[in-house]
Amino acid sequence: MSLTPNRRLVGVVLLVPLVVTLALWAFAWPAARTAPRDLPVAIAGTAPAADQLQQRFEERDGAFEVHRYASEAEARDAIEDRTVYGAVVATAKGPELLTASAGSTVVAQLLREAVTAGAPAGSEVPVTDVVAAPAADPRGAVLGSSILPLAIAGVAAGAAVTVLGLRGARAGVALLGVAVLVGLLATAVTDSWLGALTGDWWSEAGTVALIVLAIGAPVAGLAALLGTPGIGIGALLMVLLGNPFSGVTSAPELLPRPIAVIGQLLPPGAGGSALRSVAFFDGAAAGVPVLTLGVWAVLGLVAVLVGGRRRPAADTTAPASAREPALAG
């Protein structure tokens, strides 16, 4: 039964402000509450100097998760494996800081400020960027801004498949084709042209394609099961929640709880983490994010295939005269 014009009017007046308020909350609240929460950092060296450094970090209750290593070499390995974001090394001349601006320029600056503030007045703390952000994108802006376009691409693919009436296997092939082409083109722009990604080209393209598929397939799957409203639900989940909850512009550990956990369970957050690992850390710590993306992609494609087996709803928008012969038969 169709809604009356007055009900449609009330629906628009109430729905649009509600969506805007939700978007403002999703984007503004995490940004306003950015702070370290169990941020993994390393302390390297021998006691008692290393113990004093560890105590300084632990004084900020809940802010840092301290990992201890015996040597600077072990701390460097931990940074390159993405076990920690940075390390403070206790030496005979004083503390030295190891960072990874490719992992997060925001965290690198935060650690620099924290260590400098705890150093004796007038002293200078040496800083080594173990995994540096590329010279073409020293602030990591390209990776940080790439997740939203990829999310939009995925939602657009799912919506297009639905609007064009593609069902079942045809819909799956279309989603796969879009994902592959976006992966190739996006990597050509960000890696080959801008030089903002510096990892293996094909691994980056595959990761981008998986991100798009992990977003587009669930959107199309929801639409296949629920109808057109499924597109709106998918867009809400992937863009209005998934993008601001991803932590890709800073770090998941800087977001309020449980936003960080939710964000990494959604394709935009998992995709950002996977792409960062592939682009700068030779794939270190990419396993869980890639698995998360794979689960979303598979579930979405299954929903598309299951929904495609259902009989399409009758076209209620056709003129009555066009439908009467069928009804009479």
Side-chain angles (χ1 to χ4, degrees), residues 9-317:
L9 172 62
V10 173
V12 170
V13 171
L14 294 179
L15 183 60
V16 173
L18 179 62
V19 172
V20 171
T21 302
L22 176 62
L24 182 62
W25 166 79
F27 280 85
W29 178 50
R33 297 292 184 268
T34 299
R37 296 170 176 86
D38 290 328
L39 183 72
V41 297
I43 301 295
T46 57
D51 294 338
Q52 294 175 355
L53 291 172
Q54 180 174 349
Q55 184 177 1
R56 292 177 189 172
F57 278 91
E58 291 178 343
E59 286 175 354
R60 299 180 60 178
D61 187 33
F64 297 99
E65 178 185 282
V66 179
H67 298 242
R68 283 293 294 266
Y69 297 97
S71 66
E72 177 181 342
E74 292 181 3
R76 284 176 175 268
D77 290 340
I79 293 173
E80 293 171 350
D81 291 339
R82 299 204 72 189
T83 303
V84 297
Y85 280 91
V88 185
V89 182
T91 71
K93 298 180 180 180
E96 296 182 2
L97 176 62
L98 307 179
T99 63
S101 58
S104 171
T105 56
V106 176
V107 172
Q109 181 61 30
L110 184 152
L111 292 177
R112 186 190 299 264
E113 294 173 355
V115 174
T116 302
S123 63
E124 184 175 347
V125 178
V127 179
T128 302
D129 202 346
V130 177
V131 186
D137 185 31
R139 295 180 178 85
V142 172
L143 178 59
S145 61
S146 64
I147 297 302
L148 179 57
L150 296 181
I152 294 174
V155 172
V161 164
T162 303
V163 172
L164 294 176
L166 298 177
R167 302 173 63 81
R170 286 189 177 89
V173 170
L175 291 167
L176 287 169
V178 169
V180 170
L181 285 177
V182 171
L184 296 174
L185 293 174
T187 305
V189 171
T190 56
D191 186 312
S192 303
W193 179 36
L194 298 177
L197 304 182
T198 58
D200 178 74
W201 199 95
W202 290 105
S203 296
E204 293 169 352
T207 302
V208 172
L210 183 58
I211 294 171
V212 175
L213 183 63
I215 295 172
V219 171
L222 287 170
L225 297 176
L226 305 176
T228 304
I231 298 175
I233 296 173
L236 177 70
L237 188 64
M238 301 300 179
V239 177
L240 288 187
L241 295 182
N243 186 68
F245 290 4
S246 68
V248 69
T249 58
S250 55
E253 291 84 358
L254 299 184
L255 298 180
R257 298 188 182 96
I259 295 300
V261 176
I262 296 173
Q264 293 304 298
L265 292 175
L266 294 174
S273 296
L275 186 56
R276 191 182 298 278
S277 291
V278 169
F280 306 123
F281 294 87
D282 294 328
V288 172
V290 168
L291 177 62
T292 302
L293 293 172
V295 169
W296 277 98
V298 170
L299 291 178
L301 291 174
V302 169
V304 167
L305 295 176
V306 171
R309 294 181 178 179
R310 296 184 176 183
R311 185 175 181 180
D315 186 3
T316 59
T317 62

